[in-house]
Amino acid sequence: MTLPEITKISIRNLSRSKRRNVILGIAIAFGFFVVTVIDGLAGGAVSNLEDMTTQLMGGSVVIAGYEKVNENVSGDDEKNATTEVNVIRDHDYLQNLVDEMGIDYKYTSHYTRTMAQIIFHGKKVLAQTNGRDFATDKTFVESLQIKDGDISNLSDPRVLIVGEGMAKTLKVEVGDEVLLTTTTIYGQNEVGDFKVGLIIKDSNFVTGMVSYADIRTLNKLIDVPEDGYNIFSIYLTDKNKQDKVAVQIEDAVKNDGVPVTDLREARRKYPGNPEKGLLKHITGKENQWEGTKYLVESLNDGAPLLKSAMAIVHLVTTIILIVILLITMVGISNTYRMVLYERIREIGTMRAIGMAGRDTGHMFTMEAVILCVLGGIAGLVFGIIVMMLLGMINIEFEPVQLFLKKGHMSFTLSPLSIIIQYAVMVFLTTLAVRGTAKKAARMSPAEALRTVK
């Protein structure tokens, strides 16, 4: 028999036992529904965690600049020593370099980063304070979720942006004057007066750790040139290319004759923590250079634990998916053993009028595959609907904010992942009915017709 003929008979057989097949189809749909939702939730959580880490680091690819400065060390014999300061004085070099390379990015940003303590009426919080150019960095400004204050306050050079959790700890409101204590790039302690201009929503874990100030004001406080900065970040369109792009930028800087770290060597010597290797290229007496030396790293280099966490999440998710699919397939296998018993005489009749044993086995397999595909489609559609509904729920439970996006669950489904899951499900379904199909194919027509149910 041809495949279309076998398919036609299989569809007819499925329509005969509607109740049982509907129940089995619902079981398959539920299994694929659970698979879809778990996979989407895990993918969304990992993506959110990666986005937050990217936000904390400043981009998919981050470039820092360092200079060597001499300092006097007093002892029995006065001698010279050098230390490294984090500063980039050439405002346009990196931007021009990235544009000339034709790198596909969403946007780039430059900012000054320092660790600071914010003080208000005896209360203190430690925060990473980033100096941003609010007038030109429109992408950053538009991303702010303002809880209190007005965007026009960003024109004040002493403005400070804090998260609502930070504001609650300090008990500050918009307009309050605060002190910000930090150190210059040369290590001296400095104190600056700032005014809270915006309080933003704690939409994720990062918001509670970072405050923002006007870049020129912060530069002046920590002895960075007015048009300088210390971090240049690139948000790539395809973040999966970050490791490759980081190396390409490093090569381009090297070709310009500018000092730069060796990312390939760092990854080779410190595969679990490349950033450690990069810093070794900056510190130490053996590393001497003139001018600015650039350190280039990707998000994976700067946050290796994130990559490990993502791998663990994907592994656990895959194990859960396989277990669910196996449980579903056990149900299919048991059901088709019963189907074979109920249709023994029918099989005998079809074999007696000329159906080959191989075609009998194919008929059982085709029935199961058709039921599996239809159930899988129903489960996928239902899963997408449920994910859309769950994504509308605002969650304020603090421990899970790390995996949420603006207080909402997000789901990420890969078309390739869905295709693979379908292929795995069809493969497991075929295995589940293989024994029954073989038994049906080997059955003697005479023996089948003599069987009394």
Side-chain angles (χ1 to χ4, degrees):
M1 295 182 69
T2 64
L3 182 61
E5 289 174 330
I6 293 175
T7 303
K8 185 177 180 180
I9 294 174
S10 299
I11 294 174
R12 184 198 65 190
N13 289 339
L14 287 173
S15 64
R16 288 168 51 195
S17 304
K18 294 181 180 178
R19 184 176 179 181
R20 179 176 58 205
N21 289 327
V22 166
I23 293 174
L24 184 56
I26 290 174
I28 295 172
F30 179 75
F32 202 76
F33 157 75
V34 174
V35 166
T36 301
V37 173
I38 290 178
D39 190 37
L41 181 60
V46 169
S47 179
N48 291 338
L49 180 60
E50 186 175 11
D51 288 343
M52 279 184 278
T53 308
T54 302
Q55 182 181 345
L56 185 62
M57 280 192 62
S60 311
V61 176
V62 177
I63 307 172
Y66 292 89
E67 291 181 353
K68 285 282 188 181
V69 295
N70 292 323
E71 60 179 7
N72 291 325
V73 179
S74 298
D76 294 333
D77 297 315
E78 190 174 283
K79 60 181 180 178
N80 290 327
T82 59
T83 187
E84 302 80 27
V85 297
N86 185 196
V87 61
I88 298 174
R89 300 180 188 275
D90 191 336
H91 185 275
D92 299 321
Y93 171 67
L94 292 173
Q95 184 64 62
N96 292 337
L97 180 74
V98 168
D99 290 338
E100 288 171 4
M101 292 176 64
I103 293 174
D104 185 16
Y105 59 82
K106 293 180 181 177
Y107 64 95
T108 62
S109 175
H110 61 270
Y111 60 95
T112 298
R113 181 170 65 190
T114 186
M115 289 305 297
Q117 202 170 52
I118 304 172
I119 306 172
F120 181 72
H121 290 177
K123 299 185 184 301
K124 304 175 183 179
V125 294
L126 185 65
Q128 175 182 297
T129 302
N130 294 341
R132 309 294 294 246
D133 191 337
F134 302 129
T136 61
D137 201 343
K138 300 298 183 184
T139 303
F140 167 73
V141 173
E142 290 171 0
S143 70
L144 297 174
Q145 291 184 281
I146 300 173
K147 181 178 178 62
D148 194 13
D150 191 271
I151 202 75
S152 61
N153 293 340
L154 295 181
S155 60
D156 186 341
R158 295 192 303 129
V159 68
L160 188 69
I161 303 174
V162 298
E164 57 182 324
M166 198 180 298
K168 186 177 180 180
T169 301
L170 292 170
K171 296 185 177 179
V172 297
E173 297 178 354
V174 170
D176 285 339
E177 301 273 350
V178 298
L179 291 179
L180 189 143
T181 66
T182 184
T183 58
T184 69
I185 58 174
Y186 302 105
Q188 289 87 22
N189 294 326
E190 285 289 348
V191 179
D193 294 317
F194 288 82
K195 181 191 292 185
V196 177
L198 289 180
I199 296 175
I200 57 177
K201 295 179 181 178
D202 284 341
S203 56
N204 56 51
F205 176 70
V206 174
T207 314
M209 301 171 59
V210 182
S211 63
Y212 303 94
D214 176 75
I215 188 170
R216 290 175 179 80
T217 304
L218 191 62
N219 281 353
K220 185 177 181 180
L221 184 66
I222 67 172
D223 281 349
V224 172
E226 182 178 354
D227 289 334
Y229 52 93
N230 55 25
I231 301 292
F232 182 85
S233 62
I234 308 168
Y235 292 79
L236 297 175
T237 302
D238 184 358
K239 58 188 177 184
N240 294 321
K241 295 181 179 179
Q242 56 179 286
D243 293 335
K244 180 180 179 181
V245 170
V247 172
Q248 290 174 341
I249 293 174
E250 190 179 76
D251 289 342
V253 173
K254 190 180 299 181
N255 290 336
D256 283 345
V258 177
V260 67
T261 52
D262 190 338
L263 189 50
R264 292 184 181 88
E265 180 185 326
R267 288 174 178 171
R268 185 176 65 254
K269 289 187 175 180
Y270 301 90
N273 187 8
E275 187 177 47
K276 180 179 179 180
L278 292 174
L279 291 175
K280 283 182 176 292
H281 297 164
I282 299 294
T283 60
K285 293 181 180 179
E286 68 279 5
N287 295 305
Q288 299 294 326
W289 65 87
E290 295 292 331
T292 302
K293 185 172 185 177
Y294 292 99
L295 183 153
V296 186
E297 65 179 349
S298 69
L299 175 65
N300 291 333
D301 299 316
L305 291 179
L306 174 64
K307 198 171 184 179
S308 301
M310 291 168 61
I312 292 172
V313 169
H314 283 304
L315 176 62
V316 172
T317 303
T318 301
I319 293 174
I320 293 174
L321 301 186
I322 292 175
V323 169
I324 292 174
L325 287 174
L326 286 175
I327 292 173
T328 304
M329 295 311 114
V330 168
I332 292 176
S333 178
N334 291 334
T335 299
Y336 271 86
R337 286 196 184 97
M338 295 173 57
V339 171
L340 176 64
Y341 175 73
E342 292 175 357
R343 287 163 49 184
I344 286 179
R345 300 196 66 180
E346 179 184 330
I347 293 170
T349 302
M350 288 190 293
R351 293 292 309 280
I353 61 176
M355 177 179 279
R358 182 180 58 185
D359 292 336
T360 306
H362 289 168
M363 181 182 65
F364 273 88
T365 302
M366 182 61 70
E367 287 181 32
V369 169
I370 292 173
L371 194 60
C372 173
V373 170
L374 293 176
I377 292 173
L380 175 62
V381 172
F382 185 55
I384 292 174
I385 293 172
V386 169
M387 286 188 288
M388 291 174 63
L389 294 175
L390 290 175
M392 297 178 183
I393 301 173
N394 185 39
I395 301 174
E396 297 182 356
F397 187 50
E398 189 67 29
V400 300
Q401 290 298 313
L402 186 63
F403 302 100
L404 304 181
K405 186 174 185 178
K406 297 180 180 180
H408 295 267
M409 285 189 287
S410 62
F411 299 84
T412 301
L413 285 177
S414 165
L416 178 61
S417 177
I418 294 173
I419 292 172
I420 292 174
Q421 289 167 12
Y422 252 110
V424 170
M425 187 170 66
V426 171
F427 174 72
L428 291 177
T429 298
T430 304
L431 288 181
V433 299
R434 186 178 181 183
T436 302
K438 280 187 175 181
K439 193 171 182 180
R442 294 171 181 168
M443 191 171 291
S444 165
E447 179 186 349
L449 289 171
R450 286 197 302 268
T451 301
V452 179
K453 295 187 287 182

